[in-house]
Amino acid sequence: DPQRMDLLAFHRRRVDEGPGTSPDFDDAAHFSVRSPYPTLQLLREKDLVWARSQWQQQQAQNGPTTTKNGPSAGPGALGLLMANKQRLRGMGSAALKRTMDLFIVNHKQ
């Protein structure tokens, strides 16, 4: 169905239970599902399919992404997810928390 939507929820203290994360609240990978304010994101399924195929093509052409924390899990949606979590861990939980806190302070209404 071309109109099918996926709903993603984000909030400040969310703990990701998906692949590549730990139950430790301070795992920087959890920032992949965190937001300064409660947020709902609607994604059209056809756009997700397109994004995943673009990621796979890029990986096929350029090889797996390597970060300072090591190689990604490879092509596909899982590879993209794992690369993002590696990037967040490279930034560090404390720095990400400071950035989020600073955003909140600077955007109070």
Side-chain angles (χ1 to χ4, degrees), residues 24-93:
D24 178 6
F25 180 81
D26 292 323
D27 181 357
H30 296 305
F31 280 86
S32 67
V33 294
R34 290 185 181 167
S35 173
Y37 304 107
T39 304
L40 293 176
Q41 181 180 24
L42 294 171
L43 297 171
R44 293 185 304 182
E45 186 171 318
K46 71 179 187 175
D47 292 335
L48 290 173
V49 169
W50 177 84
R52 289 174 182 144
S53 79
Q54 292 297 306
W55 172 258
Q56 288 173 331
Q57 287 176 19
Q58 182 240 345
Q59 294 296 294
Q61 291 172 358
N62 302 328
T65 302
T66 301
T67 69
K68 65 181 177 180
N69 295 323
S72 75
L78 180 60
L80 176 59
L81 179 70
M82 299 301 281
N84 285 341
K85 290 178 181 188
Q86 287 177 352
R87 191 171 297 112
L88 290 167
R89 285 188 181 112
M91 296 169 75
S93 187

Side-chain angles (χ1 to χ4, degrees), residues 11-15 25 34-35:
H11 64 80
R12 212 167 165 218
R13 300 185 53 78
R14 182 169 173 196
V15 174
F25 180 81
R34 290 185 181 167
S35 173

